[in-house]
Amino acid sequence: MKMTSTILAILAAGTGFAAAYDSVVTINEIHYNAPAGRSEWIELRNNQGVDVNLAGWKLTGGVDYTFPATGPGSTIPGGGYLVIAATPAMVAGSIGPFTGTLDNGGETIRLRNVNDRIMDEVSYDDEGDWPVGADGSGATLSRVTPGAETGASAWVAST
């Protein structure tokens, strides 16, 4: 048993996914320090070629949102995107609202499936190696490439 665990740990480390989550749907972009008069939002990306049913999934952390059982936002199309906003009327094509606020100084946001399993997690910050352009300039924090890579180097400021 111990040998099997050791082999699996070595294989996971060799693929670069030891700390990654399932990556079916990932947190792709975050507008955490929106200028006055604009809404905070979180964009999800479906990394699969097929639709994913999000009914009962949740965003947790500084914000809370449970995806509806039916209707807009209950499914994310294959290869598609979905935006969840604090004020959906301010963000075209978004759903919501979520409760709470995104901390401008940084925090952890988790995407959990219907079984409460963490599917993706982002712990962003406004200091250190994190892109400063996303901190109140109107730019967002955006993943460099699709997937669940972690840390500041996986993110850029995006307009």
Side-chain angles (χ1 to χ4, degrees), residues 12 20 27 45 56 78 122 135 142:
I27 299 166
R45 181 178 196 276
V122 175
D135 191 18
S142 182

Side-chain angles (χ1 to χ4, degrees), residues 3-152:
M3 175 70 98
T4 302
S5 298
T6 303
I7 291 170
L8 289 175
I10 291 169
L11 290 173
T15 62
F17 290 107
Y21 292 96
D22 282 336
S23 307
V24 172
V25 177
T26 54
I27 299 166
N28 190 62
E29 194 166 356
I30 306 167
H31 199 198
Y32 70 89
N33 192 352
R38 305 208 38 212
S39 180
E40 294 181 332
W41 50 264
I42 299 168
E43 179 187 75
L44 303 180
R45 181 178 196 276
N46 181 350
N47 297 312
Q48 304 295 305
V50 297
D51 296 355
V52 174
N53 182 354
L54 298 177
W57 287 36
K58 298 176 185 176
L59 284 171
T60 62
V63 301
D64 288 299
Y65 181 77
T66 300
F67 292 86
T70 61
S74 63
T75 302
I76 185 169
Y81 299 85
L82 181 63
V83 175
I84 304 90
T87 311
M90 298 176 88
V91 183
S94 68
I95 61 168
F98 56 68
T99 59
T101 58
L102 295 167
D103 190 321
N104 294 344
E107 70 182 310
T108 300
I109 303 168
R110 290 180 183 90
L111 177 64
R112 298 174 178 272
N113 72 8
V114 70
N115 297 315
D116 208 33
R117 181 177 182 184
I118 298 173
M119 302 303 284
D120 192 22
E121 175 180 282
V122 175
S123 295
Y124 69 89
D125 206 328
D126 70 343
E127 297 179 350
D129 294 333
W130 286 88
V132 296
D135 191 18
S137 70
T140 63
L141 195 58
S142 182
R143 281 201 196 262
V144 175
T145 59
E149 292 82 10
T150 59

